[in-house]
Amino acid sequence: MLPSRSRCCSSERHGACRARQADPPERICTAWSPSCWQNFPAAQNPFATLPSGPVVSIQRRLRLLPPLVSAHEIEGLLSQLKDVYEGKRFVLQGGDCAEVFADCQPCILAAKMRLLLQMSLILQDATSRKIVRIGRMAGQYGKPRSRSHEILEGRKVLTYRGDSVNGTDPSDRDPQPERLLQAYFQSAATLNFVRSLLSPGSSFFRADTGSEKTEESVWELSKQVGPERRREFQILTNTIAESKQRPSGPSLAMHASHSSSASSYTTSPPSSPKPSDLESPSPLFSSRPPFSSLLDSADTDCSIGCFSSHEALLLPYEEAMTREYDGKFYDTSAHFLWIGDRTRQLDHAHIQFCRGIRNSIGVKVGPTAQPHEIVDICRILNPENIPGKVVLITRLGAADASRLLPPVIEAVQTAGVRVVWLCDPMHGNTQVTPEGKKRRCFTDMLKEVLVTFDTHVQHQSQLGGVHFELTGEHVSECIGGCESRGKVGDEETYEAFCDPRLNYTQAVEMAFEIASHIKHADQEQGRSVTLNNWANALH
């Protein structure tokens, strides 16, 4: 059914259109509405100092626009993340640290999707699990910042907070609410292109042969990648060709949803998953089925090929994009949202907003996180304890992950809260050069992923996926990997406006290294089972 107009605009009745943080924390809404966050402190709100009028006007215009994603698709992701909790799927989340409006171009978006698909193939082969692809795209236009100002060209200016807030030019740093509207249309254009790219029959998936093969083929790695990895990937794709005739449309659950926003609401969204007493999933991956079965991962309930995500940072925008269907609220700006390490305070606005929406919610867990605090956040966001509703994304740093992660895992297990675990090895491993340029080291990021994986195994837990900042372009922002790009001092292709990203070659190498570690862990688990069976037979 179509959303109720009065419900859709109910936030105006609750005073939600105010951009400034006006109400003290003690004034709490007794019943949740999209505007309840207004009663709590809101960190990282660049529009708080502006007059309310311009933000009110933008919010009203956003409420009249179609949703960017459907309630059906949001429910579909929740269902797939429940599968991740049960050990049936593995998450690959990746994309830019901060999208910029100028990068909404076919070649850039296609390169990013090609990389995510190729990494999916590598990880799917290693894990024997269907891959849930979540792009940091179609909405990641805002960024939290640790400092409100910076020094540029000898003068103090406001910090760049993403294209949805202000510009990169020092003269364009004042917050501009109208950029929220532009962010909506840029997100819509991105989603439209990605859906067409992943649609059945798309030439993006054509397996050309002979002289027609191009470097841009999904089935072949770029020539920037070393010959050994290219051969390894070719063997993998040849296995696919031998086990199953390649379709003209996408494999790997790449069938995108083509229903329009209006038609998406002609029927009710799927019923909510009901909590059930699920057995604790095995920490390691099971034996591998024939590779052809790994391709048959399209779902009848929600067969979208890549879900969209961004940080739920700019609450005036998120509030305006929230719709009510059949008594449930959905933030239709993206399929998946996360709360950052700087905005996960229990008594603050971001937690209070996200607790009322149906979307699956990620929570960044940094070095300062206290185990009991994380448990409390999970209970607030997911009082029904639905598997797949809360995703804990740890970002602890390579040097500290083995020390800081176990207490959080143990607290979650003791409390009995059901969560999906992801590892973000980017944000805990950022360095600043003497010139003030941010850098990340490939070996540090890989180490954090592997340490996190092993720590979960040791605690009878399960790492459900990985979260990267990456690009399909050949930039030089991170250090190391299997090729020469990314050396300190190479500034020719440092293009990130916020944090450094893995380039195409580094991201592919990261996927291969993680896959190798998973396969080795499987082999060790197999040896352990064999030895135990042999010992039992002797007795």
Side-chain angles (χ1 to χ4, degrees), residues 300-334:
T300 56
D301 60 333
C302 182
S303 55
I304 189 167
C306 185
F307 295 98
S308 64
S309 72
H310 62 260
E311 181 174 353
L313 180 66
L314 303 174
L315 295 182
Y317 178 78
E318 305 302 338
E319 175 194 324
M321 291 302 298
T322 300
R323 311 284 191 265
E324 184 180 6
Y325 304 103
D326 293 340
K328 299 174 184 177
F329 287 94
Y330 297 83
D331 186 339
T332 62
S333 68

PDB file of all heavy atoms in Angstrom, residues 300-334:
ATOM      1  N   THR A 300      14.539 -15.435  -3.941  1.00  0.00           N
ATOM      2  CA  THR A 300      13.228 -15.142  -4.496  1.00  0.00           C
ATOM      3  C   THR A 300      12.558 -13.986  -3.774  1.00  0.00           C
ATOM      4  O   THR A 300      11.747 -13.276  -4.341  1.00  0.00           O
ATOM      5  CB  THR A 300      12.331 -16.386  -4.390  1.00  0.00           C
ATOM      6  OG1 THR A 300      12.269 -16.801  -3.014  1.00  0.00           O
ATOM      7  CG2 THR A 300      12.892 -17.520  -5.222  1.00  0.00           C
ATOM      8  N   ASP A 301      12.913 -13.776  -2.488  1.00  0.00           N
ATOM      9  CA  ASP A 301      12.246 -12.716  -1.744  1.00  0.00           C
ATOM     10  C   ASP A 301      12.866 -11.357  -2.008  1.00  0.00           C
ATOM     11  O   ASP A 301      12.195 -10.340  -2.000  1.00  0.00           O
ATOM     12  CB  ASP A 301      12.272 -13.018  -0.235  1.00  0.00           C
ATOM     13  CG  ASP A 301      13.688 -13.125   0.312  1.00  0.00           C
ATOM     14  OD1 ASP A 301      14.585 -13.471  -0.472  1.00  0.00           O
ATOM     15  OD2 ASP A 301      13.872 -12.864   1.514  1.00  0.00           O
ATOM     16  N   CYS A 302      14.163 -11.296  -2.224  1.00  0.00           N
ATOM     17  CA  CYS A 302      14.823 -10.016  -2.484  1.00  0.00           C
ATOM     18  C   CYS A 302      16.108 -10.285  -3.240  1.00  0.00           C
ATOM     19  O   CYS A 302      17.110 -10.664  -2.654  1.00  0.00           O
ATOM     20  CB  CYS A 302      15.114  -9.276  -1.183  1.00  0.00           C
ATOM     21  SG  CYS A 302      15.866  -7.664  -1.454  1.00  0.00           S
ATOM     22  N   SER A 303      16.082 -10.134  -4.549  1.00  0.00           N
ATOM     23  CA  SER A 303      17.219 -10.529  -5.372  1.00  0.00           C
ATOM     24  C   SER A 303      18.020  -9.329  -5.848  1.00  0.00           C
ATOM     25  O   SER A 303      18.414  -9.248  -6.993  1.00  0.00           O
ATOM     26  CB  SER A 303      16.732 -11.348  -6.572  1.00  0.00           C
ATOM     27  OG  SER A 303      15.750 -10.632  -7.289  1.00  0.00           O
ATOM     28  N   ILE A 304      18.230  -8.361  -4.968  1.00  0.00           N
ATOM     29  CA  ILE A 304      19.037  -7.206  -5.343  1.00  0.00           C
ATOM     30  C   ILE A 304      20.508  -7.601  -5.283  1.00  0.00           C
ATOM     31  O   ILE A 304      20.929  -8.363  -4.417  1.00  0.00           O
ATOM     32  CB  ILE A 304      18.734  -6.007  -4.423  1.00  0.00           C
ATOM     33  CG1 ILE A 304      19.403  -4.745  -4.954  1.00  0.00           C
ATOM     34  CG2 ILE A 304      19.138  -6.270  -2.995  1.00  0.00           C
ATOM     35  CD1 ILE A 304      18.911  -3.481  -4.284  1.00  0.00           C
ATOM     36  N   GLY A 305      21.301  -7.083  -6.217  1.00  0.00           N
ATOM     37  CA  GLY A 305      22.679  -7.525  -6.339  1.00  0.00           C
ATOM     38  C   GLY A 305      23.655  -6.832  -5.425  1.00  0.00           C
ATOM     39  O   GLY A 305      24.670  -7.403  -5.052  1.00  0.00           O
ATOM     40  N   CYS A 306      23.389  -5.593  -5.057  1.00  0.00           N
ATOM     41  CA  CYS A 306      24.287  -4.874  -4.159  1.00  0.00           C
ATOM     42  C   CYS A 306      23.459  -3.876  -3.363  1.00  0.00           C
ATOM     43  O   CYS A 306      22.808  -3.002  -3.935  1.00  0.00           O
ATOM     44  CB  CYS A 306      25.385  -4.154  -4.943  1.00  0.00           C
ATOM     45  SG  CYS A 306      26.622  -3.358  -3.888  1.00  0.00           S
ATOM     46  N   PHE A 307      23.462  -4.019  -2.060  1.00  0.00           N
ATOM     47  CA  PHE A 307      22.702  -3.115  -1.205  1.00  0.00           C
ATOM     48  C   PHE A 307      23.486  -1.822  -0.993  1.00  0.00           C
ATOM     49  O   PHE A 307      24.714  -1.800  -1.055  1.00  0.00           O
ATOM     50  CB  PHE A 307      22.419  -3.779   0.142  1.00  0.00           C
ATOM     51  CG  PHE A 307      21.536  -4.991   0.048  1.00  0.00           C
ATOM     52  CD1 PHE A 307      22.082  -6.266   0.030  1.00  0.00           C
ATOM     53  CD2 PHE A 307      20.163  -4.867  -0.030  1.00  0.00           C
ATOM     54  CE1 PHE A 307      21.277  -7.392  -0.062  1.00  0.00           C
ATOM     55  CE2 PHE A 307      19.342  -5.979  -0.123  1.00  0.00           C
ATOM     56  CZ  PHE A 307      19.904  -7.247  -0.137  1.00  0.00           C
ATOM     57  N   SER A 308      22.769  -0.749  -0.722  1.00  0.00           N
ATOM     58  CA  SER A 308      23.408   0.544  -0.477  1.00  0.00           C
ATOM     59  C   SER A 308      23.526   0.794   1.020  1.00  0.00           C
ATOM     60  O   SER A 308      22.740   0.274   1.823  1.00  0.00           O
ATOM     61  CB  SER A 308      22.598   1.673  -1.128  1.00  0.00           C
ATOM     62  OG  SER A 308      21.314   1.785  -0.530  1.00  0.00           O
ATOM     63  N   SER A 309      24.520   1.604   1.393  1.00  0.00           N
ATOM     64  CA  SER A 309      24.710   1.911   2.811  1.00  0.00           C
ATOM     65  C   SER A 309      25.434   3.233   2.963  1.00  0.00           C
ATOM     66  O   SER A 309      26.154   3.681   2.066  1.00  0.00           O
ATOM     67  CB  SER A 309      25.512   0.799   3.506  1.00  0.00           C
ATOM     68  OG  SER A 309      26.876   0.825   3.102  1.00  0.00           O
ATOM     69  N   HIS A 310      25.241   3.848   4.106  1.00  0.00           N
ATOM     70  CA  HIS A 310      26.021   5.014   4.501  1.00  0.00           C
ATOM     71  C   HIS A 310      25.877   5.215   6.004  1.00  0.00           C
ATOM     72  O   HIS A 310      25.026   4.600   6.647  1.00  0.00           O
ATOM     73  CB  HIS A 310      25.594   6.282   3.744  1.00  0.00           C
ATOM     74  CG  HIS A 310      24.179   6.707   3.992  1.00  0.00           C
ATOM     75  ND1 HIS A 310      23.156   6.442   3.111  1.00  0.00           N
ATOM     76  CD2 HIS A 310      23.597   7.380   5.022  1.00  0.00           C
ATOM     77  CE1 HIS A 310      22.021   6.938   3.567  1.00  0.00           C
ATOM     78  NE2 HIS A 310      22.266   7.518   4.744  1.00  0.00           N
ATOM     79  N   GLU A 311      26.717   6.069   6.547  1.00  0.00           N
ATOM     80  CA  GLU A 311      26.626   6.370   7.969  1.00  0.00           C
ATOM     81  C   GLU A 311      25.407   7.242   8.234  1.00  0.00           C
ATOM     82  O   GLU A 311      25.172   8.237   7.540  1.00  0.00           O
ATOM     83  CB  GLU A 311      27.891   7.078   8.456  1.00  0.00           C
ATOM     84  CG  GLU A 311      27.858   7.397   9.942  1.00  0.00           C
ATOM     85  CD  GLU A 311      29.156   7.965  10.476  1.00  0.00           C
ATOM     86  OE1 GLU A 311      30.149   8.001   9.717  1.00  0.00           O
ATOM     87  OE2 GLU A 311      29.175   8.377  11.654  1.00  0.00           O
ATOM     88  N   ALA A 312      24.625   6.862   9.240  1.00  0.00           N
ATOM     89  CA  ALA A 312      23.452   7.652   9.634  1.00  0.00           C
ATOM     90  C   ALA A 312      23.941   8.834  10.461  1.00  0.00           C
ATOM     91  O   ALA A 312      23.833   8.859  11.685  1.00  0.00           O
ATOM     92  CB  ALA A 312      22.478   6.795  10.433  1.00  0.00           C
ATOM     93  N   LEU A 313      24.472   9.823   9.777  1.00  0.00           N
ATOM     94  CA  LEU A 313      25.156  10.934  10.437  1.00  0.00           C
ATOM     95  C   LEU A 313      24.307  12.197  10.476  1.00  0.00           C
ATOM     96  O   LEU A 313      24.136  12.808  11.533  1.00  0.00           O
ATOM     97  CB  LEU A 313      26.477  11.213   9.711  1.00  0.00           C
ATOM     98  CG  LEU A 313      27.339  12.337  10.264  1.00  0.00           C
ATOM     99  CD1 LEU A 313      27.865  11.976  11.646  1.00  0.00           C
ATOM    100  CD2 LEU A 313      28.498  12.640   9.312  1.00  0.00           C
ATOM    101  N   LEU A 314      23.769  12.589   9.325  1.00  0.00           N
ATOM    102  CA  LEU A 314      23.030  13.848   9.199  1.00  0.00           C
ATOM    103  C   LEU A 314      21.549  13.570   9.443  1.00  0.00           C
ATOM    104  O   LEU A 314      20.787  13.260   8.531  1.00  0.00           O
ATOM    105  CB  LEU A 314      23.275  14.455   7.820  1.00  0.00           C
ATOM    106  CG  LEU A 314      24.755  14.703   7.496  1.00  0.00           C
ATOM    107  CD1 LEU A 314      24.925  15.166   6.060  1.00  0.00           C
ATOM    108  CD2 LEU A 314      25.356  15.713   8.470  1.00  0.00           C
ATOM    109  N   LEU A 315      21.143  13.685  10.691  1.00  0.00           N
ATOM    110  CA  LEU A 315      19.811  13.244  11.091  1.00  0.00           C
ATOM    111  C   LEU A 315      18.666  14.043  10.470  1.00  0.00           C
ATOM    112  O   LEU A 315      17.587  13.475  10.254  1.00  0.00           O
ATOM    113  CB  LEU A 315      19.709  13.240  12.619  1.00  0.00           C
ATOM    114  CG  LEU A 315      20.634  12.221  13.309  1.00  0.00           C
ATOM    115  CD1 LEU A 315      20.428  12.249  14.816  1.00  0.00           C
ATOM    116  CD2 LEU A 315      20.414  10.813  12.770  1.00  0.00           C
ATOM    117  N   PRO A 316      18.815  15.332  10.156  1.00  0.00           N
ATOM    118  CA  PRO A 316      17.716  15.995   9.436  1.00  0.00           C
ATOM    119  C   PRO A 316      17.386  15.301   8.114  1.00  0.00           C
ATOM    120  O   PRO A 316      16.214  15.194   7.731  1.00  0.00           O
ATOM    121  CB  PRO A 316      18.253  17.415   9.215  1.00  0.00           C
ATOM    122  CG  PRO A 316      19.189  17.643  10.352  1.00  0.00           C
ATOM    123  CD  PRO A 316      19.854  16.303  10.563  1.00  0.00           C
ATOM    124  N   TYR A 317      18.399  14.811   7.421  1.00  0.00           N
ATOM    125  CA  TYR A 317      18.192  14.087   6.163  1.00  0.00           C
ATOM    126  C   TYR A 317      17.549  12.725   6.420  1.00  0.00           C
ATOM    127  O   TYR A 317      16.577  12.336   5.757  1.00  0.00           O
ATOM    128  CB  TYR A 317      19.531  13.924   5.452  1.00  0.00           C
ATOM    129  CG  TYR A 317      19.472  13.152   4.148  1.00  0.00           C
ATOM    130  CD1 TYR A 317      19.012  13.754   2.986  1.00  0.00           C
ATOM    131  CD2 TYR A 317      19.895  11.826   4.084  1.00  0.00           C
ATOM    132  CE1 TYR A 317      18.969  13.054   1.783  1.00  0.00           C
ATOM    133  CE2 TYR A 317      19.859  11.118   2.891  1.00  0.00           C
ATOM    134  CZ  TYR A 317      19.394  11.737   1.746  1.00  0.00           C
ATOM    135  OH  TYR A 317      19.350  11.040   0.561  1.00  0.00           O
ATOM    136  N   GLU A 318      18.091  11.982   7.393  1.00  0.00           N
ATOM    137  CA  GLU A 318      17.567  10.640   7.672  1.00  0.00           C
ATOM    138  C   GLU A 318      16.113  10.714   8.130  1.00  0.00           C
ATOM    139  O   GLU A 318      15.286   9.886   7.743  1.00  0.00           O
ATOM    140  CB  GLU A 318      18.427   9.953   8.743  1.00  0.00           C
ATOM    141  CG  GLU A 318      19.912   9.872   8.428  1.00  0.00           C
ATOM    142  CD  GLU A 318      20.225   9.155   7.124  1.00  0.00           C
ATOM    143  OE1 GLU A 318      19.374   8.359   6.648  1.00  0.00           O
ATOM    144  OE2 GLU A 318      21.307   9.387   6.567  1.00  0.00           O
ATOM    145  N   GLU A 319      15.810  11.704   8.948  1.00  0.00           N
ATOM    146  CA  GLU A 319      14.427  11.878   9.410  1.00  0.00           C
ATOM    147  C   GLU A 319      13.479  12.123   8.239  1.00  0.00           C
ATOM    148  O   GLU A 319      12.400  11.524   8.158  1.00  0.00           O
ATOM    149  CB  GLU A 319      14.372  13.051  10.381  1.00  0.00           C
ATOM    150  CG  GLU A 319      12.971  13.411  10.834  1.00  0.00           C
ATOM    151  CD  GLU A 319      12.926  14.769  11.504  1.00  0.00           C
ATOM    152  OE1 GLU A 319      13.890  15.128  12.211  1.00  0.00           O
ATOM    153  OE2 GLU A 319      11.919  15.482  11.301  1.00  0.00           O
ATOM    154  N   ALA A 320      13.892  12.999   7.326  1.00  0.00           N
ATOM    155  CA  ALA A 320      13.028  13.335   6.193  1.00  0.00           C
ATOM    156  C   ALA A 320      12.839  12.162   5.243  1.00  0.00           C
ATOM    157  O   ALA A 320      11.833  12.095   4.528  1.00  0.00           O
ATOM    158  CB  ALA A 320      13.614  14.529   5.435  1.00  0.00           C
ATOM    159  N   MET A 321      13.776  11.220   5.223  1.00  0.00           N
ATOM    160  CA  MET A 321      13.682  10.063   4.334  1.00  0.00           C
ATOM    161  C   MET A 321      12.995   8.869   4.991  1.00  0.00           C
ATOM    162  O   MET A 321      12.884   7.802   4.386  1.00  0.00           O
ATOM    163  CB  MET A 321      15.086   9.649   3.874  1.00  0.00           C
ATOM    164  CG  MET A 321      15.746  10.643   2.930  1.00  0.00           C
ATOM    165  SD  MET A 321      14.780  10.937   1.429  1.00  0.00           S
ATOM    166  CE  MET A 321      14.759   9.301   0.707  1.00  0.00           C
ATOM    167  N   THR A 322      12.527   9.020   6.218  1.00  0.00           N
ATOM    168  CA  THR A 322      11.877   7.920   6.928  1.00  0.00           C
ATOM    169  C   THR A 322      10.393   7.878   6.589  1.00  0.00           C
ATOM    170  O   THR A 322       9.701   8.893   6.629  1.00  0.00           O
ATOM    171  CB  THR A 322      12.078   8.068   8.447  1.00  0.00           C
ATOM    172  OG1 THR A 322      13.483   8.047   8.734  1.00  0.00           O
ATOM    173  CG2 THR A 322      11.409   6.930   9.201  1.00  0.00           C
ATOM    174  N   ARG A 323       9.915   6.687   6.239  1.00  0.00           N
ATOM    175  CA  ARG A 323       8.518   6.473   5.866  1.00  0.00           C
ATOM    176  C   ARG A 323       7.922   5.366   6.737  1.00  0.00           C
ATOM    177  O   ARG A 323       8.632   4.483   7.206  1.00  0.00           O
ATOM    178  CB  ARG A 323       8.401   6.053   4.395  1.00  0.00           C
ATOM    179  CG  ARG A 323       9.179   6.922   3.411  1.00  0.00           C
ATOM    180  CD  ARG A 323       8.483   8.254   3.156  1.00  0.00           C
ATOM    181  NE  ARG A 323       9.094   8.958   2.031  1.00  0.00           N
ATOM    182  CZ  ARG A 323      10.032   9.888   2.148  1.00  0.00           C
ATOM    183  NH1 ARG A 323      10.486  10.215   3.349  1.00  0.00           N
ATOM    184  NH2 ARG A 323      10.531  10.491   1.070  1.00  0.00           N
ATOM    185  N   GLU A 324       6.605   5.410   6.911  1.00  0.00           N
ATOM    186  CA  GLU A 324       5.918   4.381   7.682  1.00  0.00           C
ATOM    187  C   GLU A 324       5.069   3.521   6.753  1.00  0.00           C
ATOM    188  O   GLU A 324       4.286   4.034   5.946  1.00  0.00           O
ATOM    189  CB  GLU A 324       5.027   5.000   8.760  1.00  0.00           C
ATOM    190  CG  GLU A 324       4.368   3.933   9.635  1.00  0.00           C
ATOM    191  CD  GLU A 324       3.479   4.519  10.719  1.00  0.00           C
ATOM    192  OE1 GLU A 324       3.279   5.760  10.707  1.00  0.00           O
ATOM    193  OE2 GLU A 324       2.983   3.751  11.552  1.00  0.00           O
ATOM    194  N   TYR A 325       5.243   2.203   6.856  1.00  0.00           N
ATOM    195  CA  TYR A 325       4.461   1.236   6.088  1.00  0.00           C
ATOM    196  C   TYR A 325       3.987   0.143   7.036  1.00  0.00           C
ATOM    197  O   TYR A 325       4.802  -0.484   7.727  1.00  0.00           O
ATOM    198  CB  TYR A 325       5.296   0.617   4.958  1.00  0.00           C
ATOM    199  CG  TYR A 325       5.900   1.637   4.030  1.00  0.00           C
ATOM    200  CD1 TYR A 325       7.245   1.977   4.131  1.00  0.00           C
ATOM    201  CD2 TYR A 325       5.125   2.277   3.067  1.00  0.00           C
ATOM    202  CE1 TYR A 325       7.805   2.921   3.285  1.00  0.00           C
ATOM    203  CE2 TYR A 325       5.676   3.228   2.222  1.00  0.00           C
ATOM    204  CZ  TYR A 325       7.016   3.546   2.336  1.00  0.00           C
ATOM    205  OH  TYR A 325       7.566   4.490   1.506  1.00  0.00           O
ATOM    206  N   ASP A 326       2.687  -0.066   7.071  1.00  0.00           N
ATOM    207  CA  ASP A 326       2.100  -1.124   7.897  1.00  0.00           C
ATOM    208  C   ASP A 326       2.599  -1.074   9.338  1.00  0.00           C
ATOM    209  O   ASP A 326       2.932  -2.101   9.938  1.00  0.00           O
ATOM    210  CB  ASP A 326       2.398  -2.501   7.289  1.00  0.00           C
ATOM    211  CG  ASP A 326       1.696  -2.703   5.958  1.00  0.00           C
ATOM    212  OD1 ASP A 326       0.711  -1.979   5.698  1.00  0.00           O
ATOM    213  OD2 ASP A 326       2.135  -3.563   5.179  1.00  0.00           O
ATOM    214  N   GLY A 327       2.686   0.124   9.878  1.00  0.00           N
ATOM    215  CA  GLY A 327       3.040   0.280  11.279  1.00  0.00           C
ATOM    216  C   GLY A 327       4.520   0.196  11.583  1.00  0.00           C
ATOM    217  O   GLY A 327       4.913   0.241  12.754  1.00  0.00           O
ATOM    218  N   LYS A 328       5.376   0.084  10.552  1.00  0.00           N
ATOM    219  CA  LYS A 328       6.825   0.016  10.759  1.00  0.00           C
ATOM    220  C   LYS A 328       7.487   1.175  10.030  1.00  0.00           C
ATOM    221  O   LYS A 328       7.055   1.569   8.947  1.00  0.00           O
ATOM    222  CB  LYS A 328       7.385  -1.313  10.241  1.00  0.00           C
ATOM    223  CG  LYS A 328       6.808  -2.537  10.927  1.00  0.00           C
ATOM    224  CD  LYS A 328       7.298  -3.811  10.250  1.00  0.00           C
ATOM    225  CE  LYS A 328       6.638  -5.035  10.867  1.00  0.00           C
ATOM    226  NZ  LYS A 328       7.040  -6.285  10.171  1.00  0.00           N
ATOM    227  N   PHE A 329       8.537   1.699  10.636  1.00  0.00           N
ATOM    228  CA  PHE A 329       9.259   2.823  10.045  1.00  0.00           C
ATOM    229  C   PHE A 329      10.515   2.320   9.331  1.00  0.00           C
ATOM    230  O   PHE A 329      11.269   1.507   9.877  1.00  0.00           O
ATOM    231  CB  PHE A 329       9.652   3.834  11.125  1.00  0.00           C
ATOM    232  CG  PHE A 329       8.492   4.634  11.655  1.00  0.00           C
ATOM    233  CD1 PHE A 329       7.815   4.214  12.788  1.00  0.00           C
ATOM    234  CD2 PHE A 329       8.077   5.793  11.015  1.00  0.00           C
ATOM    235  CE1 PHE A 329       6.743   4.942  13.285  1.00  0.00           C
ATOM    236  CE2 PHE A 329       7.007   6.529  11.503  1.00  0.00           C
ATOM    237  CZ  PHE A 329       6.332   6.103  12.642  1.00  0.00           C
ATOM    238  N   TYR A 330      10.724   2.825   8.125  1.00  0.00           N
ATOM    239  CA  TYR A 330      11.893   2.474   7.323  1.00  0.00           C
ATOM    240  C   TYR A 330      12.611   3.752   6.909  1.00  0.00           C
ATOM    241  O   TYR A 330      11.979   4.683   6.402  1.00  0.00           O
ATOM    242  CB  TYR A 330      11.478   1.709   6.062  1.00  0.00           C
ATOM    243  CG  TYR A 330      10.812   0.379   6.317  1.00  0.00           C
ATOM    244  CD1 TYR A 330       9.447   0.307   6.598  1.00  0.00           C
ATOM    245  CD2 TYR A 330      11.538  -0.806   6.274  1.00  0.00           C
ATOM    246  CE1 TYR A 330       8.825  -0.909   6.829  1.00  0.00           C
ATOM    247  CE2 TYR A 330      10.927  -2.031   6.496  1.00  0.00           C
ATOM    248  CZ  TYR A 330       9.572  -2.074   6.776  1.00  0.00           C
ATOM    249  OH  TYR A 330       8.965  -3.285   7.006  1.00  0.00           O
ATOM    250  N   ASP A 331      13.923   3.789   7.120  1.00  0.00           N
ATOM    251  CA  ASP A 331      14.718   4.886   6.580  1.00  0.00           C
ATOM    252  C   ASP A 331      15.045   4.511   5.140  1.00  0.00           C
ATOM    253  O   ASP A 331      15.911   3.670   4.878  1.00  0.00           O
ATOM    254  CB  ASP A 331      15.994   5.085   7.397  1.00  0.00           C
ATOM    255  CG  ASP A 331      16.785   6.312   6.948  1.00  0.00           C
ATOM    256  OD1 ASP A 331      16.594   6.760   5.803  1.00  0.00           O
ATOM    257  OD2 ASP A 331      17.613   6.809   7.730  1.00  0.00           O
ATOM    258  N   THR A 332      14.355   5.138   4.199  1.00  0.00           N
ATOM    259  CA  THR A 332      14.456   4.745   2.798  1.00  0.00           C
ATOM    260  C   THR A 332      15.588   5.454   2.064  1.00  0.00           C
ATOM    261  O   THR A 332      15.640   5.438   0.836  1.00  0.00           O
ATOM    262  CB  THR A 332      13.125   5.017   2.073  1.00  0.00           C
ATOM    263  OG1 THR A 332      12.844   6.426   2.099  1.00  0.00           O
ATOM    264  CG2 THR A 332      11.987   4.261   2.733  1.00  0.00           C
ATOM    265  N   SER A 333      16.523   6.050   2.803  1.00  0.00           N
ATOM    266  CA  SER A 333      17.698   6.644   2.161  1.00  0.00           C
ATOM    267  C   SER A 333      18.717   5.582   1.780  1.00  0.00           C
ATOM    268  O   SER A 333      19.566   5.812   0.921  1.00  0.00           O
ATOM    269  CB  SER A 333      18.355   7.671   3.089  1.00  0.00           C
ATOM    270  OG  SER A 333      18.928   7.034   4.225  1.00  0.00           O
ATOM    271  N   ALA A 334      18.659   4.401   2.425  1.00  0.00           N
ATOM    272  CA  ALA A 334      19.605   3.318   2.145  1.00  0.00           C
ATOM    273  C   ALA A 334      19.064   2.030   2.737  1.00  0.00           C
ATOM    274  O   ALA A 334      18.198   2.043   3.619  1.00  0.00           O
ATOM    275  CB  ALA A 334      20.983   3.625   2.728  1.00  0.00           C
TER     276      ALA A 334
END
